[in-house]
Amino acid sequence: MQLRIPGPTPCPPEVLAAMGRQMINHRGKEFAEIIQGVTTKLKQLFQTKNDVFLLTGSGTGGMEAAIVNTLSPGDKVLSVSVGVFGNRFAEIAESYGAEVTHLNFEFGTAADPEAVRQSLKADAGISAVLVTHNETSTAVTNDLKSISAIVKEFDKLLLVDAISALGSIDLPVDAWQCDVVVTGSQKGWMVPPGLAMVSVSDAAWQAHAKAKMPRFYWDFTKARSYLEKGQTPWTPPVSVFFGFAVALDMMLAEGLPNIFARHARSADMARSGVKSLGLSLFPDEKYASNTITAVKASEKLDVAKLLQILRDEHDVVLAGGQASLSGKIFRIGHLGWVTEDDIKQVLQALGKALPQATS
Ligand SMILES: *Cc1c(COP(=O)(O)O)cnc(C)c1O
Protein backbone atom coordinates (compact mmCIF):
# COMPACT_ATOMS: atom_id res chain seq x y z
CA MET A 1 0.00 0.00 0.00
CA GLN A 2 1.23 3.49 -0.88
CA LEU A 3 -0.18 5.90 1.70
CA ARG A 4 0.78 9.21 0.11
CA ILE A 5 -1.22 11.79 1.99
CA PRO A 6 0.32 14.64 4.00
CA GLY A 7 -0.02 12.73 7.25
CA PRO A 8 -0.45 10.32 8.78
CA THR A 9 2.54 9.03 6.82
CA PRO A 10 3.82 5.45 6.75
CA CYS A 11 6.05 4.28 9.59
CA PRO A 12 9.13 2.07 9.07
CA PRO A 13 8.78 -1.49 10.47
CA GLU A 14 11.40 -0.75 13.16
CA VAL A 15 9.21 2.08 14.46
CA LEU A 16 6.06 -0.07 14.43
CA ALA A 17 7.89 -2.88 16.24
CA ALA A 18 9.12 -0.50 18.94
CA MET A 19 5.56 0.65 19.57
CA GLY A 20 4.28 -2.84 20.22
CA ARG A 21 5.88 -3.12 23.63
CA GLN A 22 4.17 -3.12 27.01
CA MET A 23 3.30 0.18 28.77
CA ILE A 24 5.63 1.70 31.34
CA ASN A 25 5.11 4.21 34.15
CA HIS A 26 5.11 7.64 32.54
CA ARG A 27 6.34 9.09 35.85
CA GLY A 28 9.18 6.59 36.21
CA LYS A 29 12.90 6.54 35.48
CA GLU A 30 12.64 4.65 32.19
CA PHE A 31 10.24 7.17 30.64
CA ALA A 32 12.42 10.03 31.90
CA GLU A 33 15.35 8.59 29.94
CA ILE A 34 13.22 8.24 26.83
CA ILE A 35 11.79 11.79 26.90
CA GLN A 36 15.17 13.30 27.62
CA GLY A 37 16.76 11.37 24.75
CA VAL A 38 13.95 12.23 22.35
CA THR A 39 14.06 15.92 23.31
CA THR A 40 17.83 16.17 22.85
CA LYS A 41 17.64 14.52 19.42
CA LEU A 42 14.71 16.69 18.37
CA LYS A 43 16.72 19.82 19.17
CA GLN A 44 19.40 18.64 16.75
CA LEU A 45 16.81 18.15 14.02
CA PHE A 46 15.19 21.53 14.80
CA GLN A 47 18.75 22.97 14.54
CA THR A 48 18.09 24.82 17.77
CA LYS A 49 19.39 25.38 21.26
CA ASN A 50 15.94 26.63 22.30
CA ASP A 51 13.64 24.61 24.52
CA VAL A 52 11.70 21.92 22.69
CA PHE A 53 8.55 20.40 24.14
CA LEU A 54 6.51 17.38 23.13
CA LEU A 55 2.85 18.20 23.69
CA THR A 56 0.17 15.54 23.56
CA GLY A 57 -2.08 16.45 20.68
CA SER A 58 -2.05 16.95 16.94
CA GLY A 59 -0.32 19.79 15.12
CA THR A 60 -3.27 22.13 15.59
CA GLY A 61 -2.85 21.78 19.36
CA GLY A 62 0.74 22.96 18.90
CA MET A 63 -0.50 25.98 16.91
CA GLU A 64 -2.94 26.82 19.69
CA ALA A 65 -0.12 26.41 22.23
CA ALA A 66 2.09 28.83 20.26
CA ILE A 67 -0.63 31.47 20.42
CA VAL A 68 -2.01 31.14 23.94
CA ASN A 69 1.46 31.01 25.47
CA THR A 70 2.83 34.16 23.88
CA LEU A 71 -0.12 36.55 23.36
CA SER A 72 -2.78 38.43 25.29
CA PRO A 73 -6.36 39.25 24.24
CA GLY A 74 -6.30 42.51 22.26
CA ASP A 75 -2.75 41.98 21.00
CA LYS A 76 -2.29 42.94 17.38
CA VAL A 77 -1.10 40.07 15.23
CA LEU A 78 -0.18 39.92 11.54
CA SER A 79 -1.38 36.74 9.86
CA VAL A 80 0.54 35.85 6.70
CA SER A 81 -1.60 33.25 4.98
CA VAL A 82 -1.29 31.42 1.69
CA GLY A 83 -3.86 28.70 2.31
CA VAL A 84 -6.14 26.70 4.56
CA PHE A 85 -3.60 26.17 7.33
CA GLY A 86 -2.51 29.81 7.35
CA ASN A 87 -6.17 30.74 7.77
CA ARG A 88 -6.49 28.26 10.63
CA PHE A 89 -3.58 29.87 12.50
CA ALA A 90 -5.33 33.26 12.23
CA GLU A 91 -8.63 31.76 13.35
CA ILE A 92 -7.07 30.32 16.50
CA ALA A 93 -5.58 33.74 17.34
CA GLU A 94 -8.96 35.40 16.75
CA SER A 95 -10.72 32.80 18.91
CA TYR A 96 -8.54 33.86 21.83
CA GLY A 97 -9.14 37.55 21.31
CA ALA A 98 -6.16 38.68 19.25
CA GLU A 99 -6.75 41.54 16.84
CA VAL A 100 -5.68 39.99 13.57
CA THR A 101 -4.54 41.86 10.46
CA HIS A 102 -4.88 39.54 7.49
CA LEU A 103 -2.20 39.51 4.83
CA ASN A 104 -3.66 36.87 2.52
CA PHE A 105 -2.14 35.68 -0.72
CA GLU A 106 -3.93 33.88 -3.50
CA PHE A 107 -3.96 30.08 -3.09
CA GLY A 108 -1.07 28.61 -5.05
CA THR A 109 1.21 31.61 -4.58
CA ALA A 110 3.82 32.22 -1.90
CA ALA A 111 3.85 35.07 0.59
CA ASP A 112 5.69 38.15 -0.64
CA PRO A 113 8.23 39.19 2.01
CA GLU A 114 8.03 42.82 0.85
CA ALA A 115 4.31 42.85 1.60
CA VAL A 116 5.13 41.62 5.11
CA ARG A 117 7.48 44.58 5.46
CA GLN A 118 4.78 47.00 4.29
CA SER A 119 2.25 45.57 6.76
CA LEU A 120 4.67 45.86 9.65
CA LYS A 121 5.57 49.39 8.60
CA ALA A 122 1.91 50.34 8.40
CA ASP A 123 1.11 49.32 11.98
CA ALA A 124 3.79 49.63 14.66
CA GLY A 125 1.36 48.15 17.18
CA ILE A 126 1.67 44.63 15.78
CA SER A 127 3.42 42.38 18.28
CA ALA A 128 3.62 39.04 16.51
CA VAL A 129 3.59 37.50 13.03
CA LEU A 130 1.98 34.16 12.20
CA VAL A 131 3.31 32.31 9.18
CA THR A 132 3.13 28.86 7.61
CA HIS A 133 6.45 27.53 6.38
CA ASN A 134 4.99 24.86 4.14
CA GLU A 135 1.32 25.33 3.21
CA THR A 136 0.06 21.77 2.83
CA SER A 137 -3.29 22.73 1.28
CA THR A 138 -1.67 24.36 -1.77
CA ALA A 139 1.75 22.63 -1.71
CA VAL A 140 3.65 25.91 -1.44
CA THR A 141 6.80 26.50 0.61
CA ASN A 142 7.14 30.08 1.74
CA ASP A 143 10.48 31.88 1.76
CA LEU A 144 10.63 31.74 5.54
CA LYS A 145 14.25 32.90 5.68
CA SER A 146 13.40 36.23 4.01
CA ILE A 147 10.16 36.64 5.96
CA SER A 148 11.92 36.01 9.25
CA ALA A 149 14.69 38.50 8.42
CA ILE A 150 12.01 41.19 7.93
CA VAL A 151 10.05 40.24 11.03
CA LYS A 152 13.26 40.52 13.05
CA GLU A 153 14.14 43.87 11.45
CA PHE A 154 10.97 45.09 13.16
CA ASP A 155 11.78 43.06 16.27
CA LYS A 156 8.46 41.19 16.31
CA LEU A 157 7.72 37.75 17.62
CA LEU A 158 7.61 35.09 14.88
CA LEU A 159 5.31 32.08 15.31
CA VAL A 160 5.76 29.44 12.63
CA ASP A 161 3.55 26.56 11.56
CA ALA A 162 6.23 24.22 10.23
CA ILE A 163 4.04 21.17 10.75
CA SER A 164 4.65 19.70 7.29
CA ALA A 165 8.15 21.15 6.84
CA LEU A 166 10.35 20.49 9.85
CA GLY A 167 12.47 17.39 9.58
CA SER A 168 11.91 17.25 5.79
CA ILE A 169 12.78 20.72 4.46
CA ASP A 170 15.64 22.84 5.81
CA LEU A 171 14.48 25.07 8.65
CA PRO A 172 17.38 26.16 10.85
CA VAL A 173 15.28 27.47 13.73
CA ASP A 174 18.05 29.44 15.46
CA ALA A 175 19.72 30.81 12.32
CA TRP A 176 16.35 32.05 11.09
CA GLN A 177 15.40 33.39 14.54
CA CYS A 178 12.03 31.68 14.70
CA ASP A 179 10.48 32.14 18.14
CA VAL A 180 7.92 29.35 18.31
CA VAL A 181 8.06 26.61 15.70
CA VAL A 182 5.43 23.89 15.58
CA THR A 183 5.45 20.49 13.95
CA GLY A 184 3.53 17.23 14.33
CA SER A 185 4.62 13.62 14.75
CA GLN A 186 2.55 12.19 11.88
CA LYS A 187 4.10 14.39 9.17
CA GLY A 188 7.80 14.12 8.31
CA TRP A 189 8.80 12.24 11.44
CA MET A 190 7.86 8.66 10.52
CA VAL A 191 5.76 8.13 13.64
CA PRO A 192 1.99 7.98 14.20
CA PRO A 193 -0.16 10.98 15.19
CA GLY A 194 -0.24 11.98 18.84
CA LEU A 195 2.49 14.52 19.47
CA ALA A 196 2.95 18.18 18.60
CA MET A 197 6.54 19.36 18.97
CA VAL A 198 7.26 23.02 19.63
CA SER A 199 10.43 25.04 20.09
CA VAL A 200 10.41 28.13 22.31
CA SER A 201 13.03 30.91 22.02
CA ASP A 202 14.17 33.34 24.72
CA ALA A 203 12.05 36.07 23.15
CA ALA A 204 9.07 33.72 23.22
CA TRP A 205 9.69 33.06 26.92
CA GLN A 206 9.76 36.82 27.54
CA ALA A 207 6.45 37.15 25.72
CA HIS A 208 5.14 34.16 27.67
CA ALA A 209 5.86 35.89 30.98
CA LYS A 210 3.39 38.65 30.01
CA ALA A 211 0.92 36.61 27.95
CA LYS A 212 -2.59 36.59 29.37
CA MET A 213 -4.56 34.37 27.00
CA PRO A 214 -6.33 31.63 28.95
CA ARG A 215 -4.54 28.31 28.93
CA PHE A 216 -4.42 25.17 30.99
CA TYR A 217 -3.50 22.06 28.97
CA TRP A 218 -1.02 23.85 26.68
CA ASP A 219 0.98 25.78 29.28
CA PHE A 220 4.69 26.08 28.38
CA THR A 221 5.59 26.78 32.02
CA LYS A 222 4.08 23.47 33.07
CA ALA A 223 5.75 21.67 30.13
CA ARG A 224 9.13 23.07 31.15
CA SER A 225 8.85 22.26 34.84
CA TYR A 226 7.71 18.69 34.13
CA LEU A 227 10.40 18.13 31.51
CA GLU A 228 12.99 18.99 34.15
CA LYS A 229 11.74 15.86 35.96
CA GLY A 230 11.66 13.81 32.75
CA GLN A 231 7.88 13.99 32.52
CA THR A 232 4.99 15.67 30.75
CA PRO A 233 2.28 17.51 32.71
CA TRP A 234 -0.40 15.12 31.44
CA THR A 235 -0.30 11.49 30.35
CA PRO A 236 1.73 11.29 27.12
CA PRO A 237 1.16 8.87 24.21
CA VAL A 238 3.76 6.46 25.60
CA SER A 239 3.76 4.20 22.52
CA VAL A 240 4.43 7.12 20.19
CA PHE A 241 7.44 7.96 22.35
CA PHE A 242 8.73 4.38 21.94
CA GLY A 243 8.45 4.76 18.17
CA PHE A 244 9.88 8.26 18.17
CA ALA A 245 13.08 7.17 19.93
CA VAL A 246 13.72 4.75 17.06
CA ALA A 247 12.64 7.12 14.27
CA LEU A 248 14.90 9.91 15.53
CA ASP A 249 17.89 7.56 15.60
CA MET A 250 17.12 6.64 12.00
CA MET A 251 16.90 10.32 11.05
CA LEU A 252 20.14 11.23 12.79
CA ALA A 253 21.93 8.28 11.18
CA GLU A 254 20.74 9.46 7.75
CA GLY A 255 21.67 13.08 8.57
CA LEU A 256 19.70 16.24 7.82
CA PRO A 257 21.40 17.07 4.48
CA ASN A 258 20.62 13.57 3.18
CA ILE A 259 17.03 13.75 4.45
CA PHE A 260 16.49 17.10 2.71
CA ALA A 261 18.09 15.78 -0.49
CA ARG A 262 15.90 12.64 -0.43
CA HIS A 263 12.79 14.80 -0.10
CA ALA A 264 13.98 17.06 -2.91
CA ARG A 265 14.56 14.06 -5.20
CA SER A 266 11.15 12.54 -4.40
CA ALA A 267 9.48 15.91 -5.01
CA ASP A 268 11.34 16.43 -8.29
CA MET A 269 10.21 13.05 -9.46
CA ALA A 270 6.60 13.74 -8.45
CA ARG A 271 6.55 17.10 -10.23
CA SER A 272 8.21 15.95 -13.43
CA GLY A 273 6.18 12.74 -13.37
CA VAL A 274 2.78 14.44 -13.22
CA LYS A 275 3.85 16.88 -15.91
CA SER A 276 4.89 14.06 -18.20
CA LEU A 277 1.40 12.60 -17.69
CA GLY A 278 0.06 15.82 -19.21
CA LEU A 279 -1.02 17.35 -15.91
CA SER A 280 0.02 20.69 -14.49
CA LEU A 281 1.07 21.74 -11.04
CA PHE A 282 -1.31 23.84 -8.98
CA PRO A 283 1.20 26.16 -7.27
CA ASP A 284 3.73 28.55 -8.65
CA GLU A 285 6.51 26.04 -9.40
CA LYS A 286 9.18 28.33 -8.01
CA TYR A 287 7.69 27.74 -4.55
CA ALA A 288 6.57 24.13 -5.07
CA SER A 289 6.96 22.14 -1.88
CA ASN A 290 9.35 19.26 -1.38
CA THR A 291 6.95 17.49 1.00
CA ILE A 292 3.76 17.60 -1.05
CA THR A 293 2.75 18.09 -4.67
CA ALA A 294 -0.58 19.61 -5.66
CA VAL A 295 -1.85 18.81 -9.13
CA LYS A 296 -4.49 20.79 -11.03
CA ALA A 297 -7.54 18.85 -12.10
CA SER A 298 -8.97 19.77 -15.51
CA GLU A 299 -12.73 20.21 -15.91
CA LYS A 300 -12.84 16.70 -17.31
CA LEU A 301 -11.07 14.97 -14.44
CA ASP A 302 -13.28 13.61 -11.65
CA VAL A 303 -10.98 13.86 -8.63
CA ALA A 304 -13.17 11.78 -6.31
CA LYS A 305 -13.31 9.02 -8.90
CA LEU A 306 -9.56 9.19 -9.49
CA LEU A 307 -8.81 8.84 -5.78
CA GLN A 308 -11.23 5.92 -5.52
CA ILE A 309 -9.72 4.04 -8.46
CA LEU A 310 -6.22 4.60 -7.11
CA ARG A 311 -7.24 3.29 -3.72
CA ASP A 312 -9.39 0.35 -4.81
CA GLU A 313 -7.41 -0.88 -7.79
CA HIS A 314 -3.85 0.22 -7.11
CA ASP A 315 -3.54 0.45 -3.32
CA VAL A 316 -2.39 4.04 -3.69
CA VAL A 317 -3.92 6.62 -1.35
CA LEU A 318 -3.65 10.27 -2.35
CA ALA A 319 -5.35 13.36 -0.93
CA GLY A 320 -7.94 15.61 -2.53
CA GLY A 321 -8.15 19.38 -2.21
CA GLN A 322 -9.32 21.12 0.96
CA ALA A 323 -11.96 23.83 1.34
CA SER A 324 -12.35 25.85 -1.89
CA LEU A 325 -9.85 23.54 -3.61
CA SER A 326 -12.05 20.47 -3.20
CA GLY A 327 -12.50 18.79 -6.60
CA LYS A 328 -10.05 21.24 -8.17
CA ILE A 329 -6.75 19.63 -7.20
CA PHE A 330 -5.35 16.40 -5.82
CA ARG A 331 -2.24 16.05 -3.72
CA ILE A 332 0.61 13.57 -3.44
CA GLY A 333 2.29 13.52 -0.04
CA HIS A 334 6.01 12.78 -0.08
CA LEU A 335 7.29 13.40 3.41
CA GLY A 336 8.84 11.22 6.05
CA TRP A 337 9.53 7.64 5.09
CA VAL A 338 9.57 8.10 1.30
CA THR A 339 11.89 7.28 -1.56
CA GLU A 340 11.85 7.79 -5.33
CA ASP A 341 10.67 4.17 -5.69
CA ASP A 342 7.48 5.03 -3.81
CA ILE A 343 6.84 7.96 -6.13
CA LYS A 344 7.53 5.79 -9.16
CA GLN A 345 4.77 3.43 -8.03
CA VAL A 346 2.38 6.33 -7.48
CA LEU A 347 3.09 7.69 -10.95
CA GLN A 348 2.59 4.31 -12.59
CA ALA A 349 -0.77 3.89 -10.90
CA LEU A 350 -1.72 7.45 -11.79
CA GLY A 351 -0.88 6.81 -15.43
CA LYS A 352 -3.33 3.90 -15.46
CA ALA A 353 -6.10 5.52 -13.42
CA LEU A 354 -6.17 8.92 -15.10
CA PRO A 355 -7.91 7.88 -18.34
CA GLN A 356 -10.55 5.98 -16.32
CA ALA A 357 -11.37 9.08 -14.28
CA THR A 358 -11.41 11.46 -17.23
CA SER A 359 -14.56 12.06 -19.23
C1 LIG B 1 -1.28 18.83 9.00
C2 LIG B 1 -1.11 20.28 9.15
C3 LIG B 1 -1.73 21.00 10.18
C4 LIG B 1 -2.72 20.37 11.12
O1 LIG B 1 -2.14 19.38 11.88
P1 LIG B 1 -3.09 18.35 12.67
O2 LIG B 1 -2.03 17.40 13.17
O3 LIG B 1 -4.01 17.73 11.68
O4 LIG B 1 -3.76 19.07 13.73
C5 LIG B 1 -1.47 22.35 10.29
N1 LIG B 1 -0.65 22.98 9.46
C6 LIG B 1 -0.03 22.33 8.45
C7 LIG B 1 0.87 23.10 7.56
C8 LIG B 1 -0.24 20.97 8.27
O5 LIG B 1 0.37 20.32 7.27
Side-chain angles (χ1 to χ4, degrees):
M1 148 104 120
Q2 281 290 351
L3 178 64
R4 294 296 151 205
I5 59 173
T9 61
C11 303
E14 300 92 315
V15 171
L16 295 178
M19 292 193 314
R21 59 172 289 205
Q22 189 52 271
M23 286 300 102
I24 57 173
N25 177 11
H26 65 299
R27 309 248 177 251
K29 182 167 167 284
E30 195 182 355
F31 185 79
E33 280 166 15
I34 293 173
I35 193 174
Q36 267 140 8
V38 164
T39 305
T40 303
K41 288 166 191 169
L42 267 178
K43 284 188 193 184
Q44 282 177 256
L45 295 168
F46 272 62
Q47 305 180 67
T48 189
K49 293 194 165 61
N50 290 340
D51 288 303
V52 170
F53 301 121
L54 294 120
L55 310 175
T56 304
S58 76
T60 307
M63 294 161 79
E64 183 161 321
I67 286 171
V68 299
N69 278 284
T70 58
L71 301 172
S72 300
D75 276 358
K76 285 187 174 180
V77 168
L78 177 66
S79 153
V80 180
S81 176
V82 300
V84 171
F85 291 110
N87 292 348
R88 182 182 298 179
F89 216 177
E91 214 178 309
I92 297 169
E94 271 163 351
S95 303
Y96 281 96
E99 211 182 288
V100 178
T101 299
H102 296 270
L103 180 59
N104 291 343
F105 297 88
E106 199 187 326
F107 282 21
T109 66
D112 173 11
E114 266 318 302
V116 175
R117 186 198 302 277
Q118 293 313 320
S119 300
L120 290 174
K121 229 183 222 170
D123 188 350
I126 289 168
S127 58
V129 177
L130 314 178
V131 66
T132 319
H133 185 195
N134 184 80
E135 177 50 73
T136 316
S137 67
T138 60
V140 162
T141 303
N142 276 320
D143 178 1
L144 181 59
K145 184 183 183 185
S146 300
I147 294 170
S148 121
I150 289 164
V151 171
K152 289 301 159 184
E153 240 173 68
F154 289 84
D155 201 22
K156 310 299 182 190
L157 203 67
L158 179 59
L159 311 183
V160 182
D161 168 358
I163 293 175
S164 62
L166 245 180
S168 311
I169 297 173
D170 193 22
L171 198 192
V173 168
D174 288 358
W176 291 359
Q177 301 181 76
C178 300
D179 294 304
V180 180
V181 181
V182 183
T183 181
S185 56
Q186 83 279 19
K187 302 282 170 127
W189 302 93
M190 308 190 294
V191 281
L195 286 168
M197 298 87 83
V198 299
S199 66
V200 182
S201 73
D202 289 342
W205 279 118
Q206 283 162 26
H208 176 71
K210 298 179 294 181
K212 293 204 168 54
M213 281 186 182
R215 55 184 175 266
F216 183 82
Y217 192 79
W218 302 126
D219 193 332
F220 287 166
T221 296
K222 291 187 188 113
R224 179 168 60 183
S225 71
Y226 276 84
L227 184 58
E228 280 163 11
K229 300 186 283 186
Q231 295 179 23
T232 50
W234 335 108
T235 311
V238 173
S239 310
V240 181
F241 271 92
F242 292 154
F244 221 158
V246 172
L248 291 172
D249 282 341
M250 291 173 69
M251 290 178 78
L252 288 171
E254 184 175 4
L256 275 180
N258 292 328
I259 293 173
F260 300 150
R262 177 168 53 79
H263 281 82
R265 286 195 309 272
S266 302
D268 267 342
M269 179 177 265
R271 291 192 286 262
S272 58
V274 295
K275 283 193 281 185
S276 65
L277 289 170
L279 298 162
S280 36
L281 300 176
F282 174 69
D284 177 353
E285 190 161 359
K286 193 162 163 243
Y287 296 96
S289 163
N290 279 349
T291 59
I292 182 155
T293 293
V295 185
K296 249 188 234 166
S298 70
E299 298 270 289
K300 292 185 171 127
L301 178 65
D302 182 340
V303 172
K305 190 170 173 192
L306 176 70
L307 298 183
Q308 192 195 332
I309 294 169
L310 286 170
R311 188 181 58 228
D312 295 348
E313 295 174 26
H314 303 277
D315 256 354
V316 168
V317 180
L318 303 186
Q322 293 166 277
S324 62
L325 293 174
S326 176
K328 302 210 166 76
I329 63 167
F330 66 91
R331 296 172 300 151
I332 306 167
H334 33 78
L335 67 171
W337 194 42
V338 63
T339 63
E340 288 158 283
D341 266 347
D342 297 310
I343 302 304
K344 209 174 278 172
Q345 286 178 34
V346 169
L347 292 167
Q348 274 166 4
L350 201 52
K352 289 184 193 141
L354 268 174
Q356 295 170 269
T358 307
S359 56

